[in-house]
Amino acid sequence: MKVQYNNAVDLEGKPLQFCIDDGVYTSCDETAHVIDLAGATVHPGIVDAHCHIIPMGLDMLKLHLGSCDSRADVLDKLRDWAKDRSGGWIHAVHYDQTKFSDSKHLSRQEIDSVVSDAPVVLRHSNGHASVANTEALRLAGVNDDTSDPPGGTFVRDGSGQLTGVLLERAHERVTSSAPAPGFEDMVEAVLRAGEKMSDLGVTCASDMMTGRWNLELELRAYAEASRRGCRVRIRLYAQWGSLFGAKGIKPGLLTEMSSEMDPTRCKLAGAKIFADGAIGSATAAINGEFLTTGGSGQLIYEPDRLKRMVRTADEAGWQVAVHSIGDRSTDHVLDAFSETMEPSRHRIEHAMILSDTQIEKIANLDCFVTMQPEFLARFGHAYQKQLGPERASRLKRFRSVLDAGIKLSFSSDRPIVPGDPLDGIEAAVTRPEGFDQAEALDRSTAHKLYSVESAK
C-alpha cells in the first residue's frame, strides 16, 4: 500500500512530505493513504553494522546486573533470582566490577555463598570475561591444575587456586559448557531481538558472531526467523573457526544453505575474527599498562597466526571483520590487512585506541571502520579506571577519523549496550564528560554514520 506522510520535519527542522510504497520511496499522488505526522521529526532508518542478534534475544530473558554498583548488590540480586529458578545454569549479564569501590572482581567463593548447588556465570558487560562459581567450573572440567587456553586466562590467587574470574578464551570455555540453545530458542531469540530493534528504528542489522554455538543451526534459525517475519533485515558475519579449519562447515553445505535464504531479508556477508579483548576487563591489547592490573592486555592470536587467518578468509572471497580495541592489536590487524589482495574490502571493529600514525595507515589502506558511540556514555567509568583520565579522553576519535577520509560507520554492539541509536547519536555529538570535545560530531553527520555509511 502506498502511504503518504504529511506535516513532518527533517533532521534540520525543515518541512517534509514523502511517500512510500512497500518500503520504496515513490511519487506522492491521490492514490496514497495519508498519515499526518503532526510535526514529528523523521529519522532515516538505522542500519546497525555491528551487533549480536541471537545473544541479544537470549539475554532479554537473563538476570541483568547493570544497576549493581557494589558486591552486595550483585549477590542480593543473584540470591533473589535463584529463589525462582527450578534448576539448570544461572546466567547473569552486565556484571561490571569497575563500578565497585575497589574495582575488584567477585570470587567464586562469594558466589558460592549465595548459590552453590547450581552453576552460575556472571558475564562481564563487555562480553569478554566472566566470573563463575565452583559448580560451573566443575561442570566445565576446570580445576586448579587446568592450563590456561591459548588466548585466555583462568585467573588464580597467590596460592595458585582458581578465583573464578575467566578472561577471553577461558570465559568461552566455561560458558560453552552450558547447554546450547535449541533451534526454536534461537528462532524466538531472533524474532524477539528484531522486534526490539525495529521499535528503536533499526531496519537492518549485522550479526557479528554467527557460529557461536553451531553455524549450521544458527543459519537455519536466522533464515526461519526471516521467513516468520523478523522485523529487521539480517546480515551475518560467521566466526572464522566455523568456516575454516577442522571445525569448519562443509563448503557444499554452506552454499546450499545460502541458496535457501532470501538475500533481501537474510544473507551471509563476511567472516569475523577476534584479535584482542576489551578495556573494562583489561584484556584489550594496548601499548602501555592498565592501571588496575599492570598488564597490557591479551592478543587472541600471535601476529603471524592472525595474518594467516585473514589471508585464508580473504583468498576464499570473504570480507573480513576483525575485532580490535587496543592500539597494539590494531597494529597487527593493519599489518594483516596490508598483505591481502584488496585491503579496502575489510573492516576493523571498534578501533577504540588510535594513534595519528594508525589513522594515517587506515586511510591509506582504505578499509572500513565501525565504532560504537554509546560505549562512551555507558562505560566511561570503566575506561577512566583502567586507562586513566588523559588516555581515556582520547578514545573513539570520530572527528580525526572522518577528517582523514576513512570510511567510518556507527553501530551498537548490542546486547553489550541497550542500543538506542538516539543515545549513540547524543554521545557522538556531545562527547560525555571526560572525553575530548574536539572529536565530537554535528548531529546530521552522526545520523549519516548510523544510516547511509552503515549501509555501505
Side-chain angles (χ1 to χ4, degrees):
M1 178 177 67
K2 183 183 290 187
V3 181
Q4 178 177 318
Y5 296 91
N6 293 341
N7 298 320
V9 296
D10 65 15
L11 298 174
E12 297 177 351
K14 298 176 182 177
L16 182 67
Q17 179 190 71
F18 61 101
C19 197
I20 293 178
D21 187 1
D22 194 25
V24 178
Y25 288 95
T26 185
S27 59
C28 296
D29 57 36
E30 66 279 359
T31 67
H33 173 67
V34 178
I35 295 178
D36 189 333
L37 293 183
T41 302
V42 176
H43 297 268
I46 300 300
V47 177
D48 195 337
H50 180 127
C51 65
H52 304 278
I53 300 173
I54 289 178
M56 175 190 176
L58 295 174
D59 278 9
M60 291 169 72
L61 304 180
K62 295 176 181 177
L63 169 61
H64 198 292
L65 301 175
S67 63
C68 298
D69 57 11
S70 72
R71 313 167 85 80
D73 285 348
V74 172
L75 295 174
D76 286 345
K77 280 209 170 223
L78 179 58
R79 182 183 296 107
D80 292 342
W81 183 270
K83 290 177 182 177
D84 299 325
R85 304 292 291 179
S86 58
W89 287 64
I90 296 176
H91 293 275
V93 297
H94 289 272
Y95 160 81
D96 184 356
Q97 90 290 355
T98 65
K99 292 182 178 180
F100 305 164
S101 59
D102 61 3
S103 297
K104 293 182 179 179
H105 282 289
L106 285 163
S107 67
R108 64 182 172 90
Q109 291 88 352
E110 287 176 287
I111 302 175
D112 289 345
S113 70
V114 176
V115 181
S116 61
D117 58 349
V120 177
V121 176
L122 313 182
R123 194 181 76 209
H124 198 278
S125 58
N126 60 35
H128 287 257
S130 57
V131 185
N133 71 348
T134 301
E135 180 65 4
L137 295 175
R138 185 187 70 80
L139 292 175
V142 176
N143 56 51
D144 292 338
D145 297 325
T146 303
S147 300
D148 290 341
T153 304
F154 295 112
V155 178
R156 304 165 198 273
D157 61 22
S159 64
Q161 292 188 323
L162 296 169
T163 66
V165 178
L166 312 166
L167 305 179
E168 300 300 336
R169 288 295 178 82
H171 150 77
E172 293 176 13
R173 172 168 170 177
V174 175
T175 55
S176 296
S177 299
F183 176 75
E184 282 299 326
D185 296 324
M186 291 181 179
V187 173
E188 289 301 320
V190 175
L191 293 172
R192 191 159 51 238
E195 183 174 2
K196 177 64 176 178
M197 286 190 283
S198 179
D199 287 345
L200 295 174
V202 176
T203 60
C204 182
S206 292
D207 181 81
M208 273 292 154
M209 201 169 68
T210 312
R212 161 69 175 80
W213 292 278
N214 178 293
L215 181 58
E216 179 181 352
L217 194 65
E218 290 173 49
L219 292 178
R220 294 192 188 283
Y222 278 115
E224 179 61 22
S226 293
R227 283 191 287 269
R228 293 188 194 178
C230 181
R231 288 171 57 185
V232 298
R233 289 174 290 123
I234 296 169
R235 302 294 179 258
L236 304 171
Y237 283 74
Q239 291 200 105
W240 190 95
S242 69
L243 292 172
F244 304 103
K247 297 181 180 180
I249 191 171
K250 294 180 180 179
L253 177 59
L254 188 64
T255 300
E256 174 189 337
M257 296 182 68
S258 296
S259 68
E260 294 174 355
M261 296 177 178
D262 175 358
T264 65
R265 302 299 308 169
C266 179
K267 70 177 182 180
L268 270 165
K272 173 70 180 296
I273 298 172
F274 286 90
D276 72 341
I279 294 173
S281 53
T283 55
I286 65 172
N287 293 311
E289 298 179 348
F290 288 103
L291 299 183
T292 61
T293 66
S296 59
Q298 202 154 25
L299 292 172
I300 304 300
Y301 305 102
E302 289 300 316
D304 287 344
R305 169 66 172 154
L306 178 66
K307 286 182 180 180
R308 290 195 299 272
M309 293 172 68
V310 170
R311 186 166 58 249
T312 295
D314 174 73
E315 291 176 352
W318 294 95
Q319 181 189 46
V320 185
V322 184
H323 165 114
S324 183
I325 285 180
D327 49 353
R328 181 162 62 97
S329 169
T330 295
D331 277 336
H332 298 306
V333 173
L334 295 176
D335 287 345
F337 282 0
S338 68
E339 295 185 8
T340 62
M341 294 180 287
E342 190 179 346
S344 62
R345 297 177 56 229
H346 304 311
R347 301 175 43 163
I348 302 177
E349 312 300 305
H350 309 301
M352 290 186 64
I353 304 175
L354 289 175
S355 67
D356 290 346
T357 300
Q358 288 174 323
I359 289 175
E360 182 180 0
K361 187 168 184 178
I362 293 171
N364 289 336
L365 292 175
D366 196 29
C367 53
F368 293 92
V369 174
T370 186
M371 294 182 177
Q372 300 72 34
E374 192 177 347
F375 280 19
L376 299 182
R378 305 291 179 184
F379 305 131
H381 63 282
Y383 301 152
Q384 292 183 15
K385 282 191 175 182
Q386 296 287 19
L387 299 172
E390 182 180 352
R391 193 170 192 189
S393 71
R394 299 193 296 272
L395 294 175
K396 294 193 177 294
R397 300 178 62 186
F398 307 140
R399 173 49 59 193
S400 295
V401 165
L402 280 182
D403 287 349
I406 291 170
K407 299 178 295 192
L408 177 66
S409 66
F410 284 162
S411 54
S412 72
D413 203 12
R414 69 182 82 238
I416 302 301
V417 296
D420 187 333
L422 296 184
D423 290 342
I425 288 167
E426 192 66 22
V429 171
T430 64
R431 297 276 295 187
E433 184 179 356
F435 294 101
D436 185 0
Q437 293 298 309
E439 297 292 349
L441 302 176
D442 63 88
R443 199 166 296 274
S444 179
T445 298
H447 274 91
K448 185 178 180 181
L449 294 175
Y450 268 111
S451 53
V452 175
E453 299 305 319
S454 286
K456 295 177 183 177

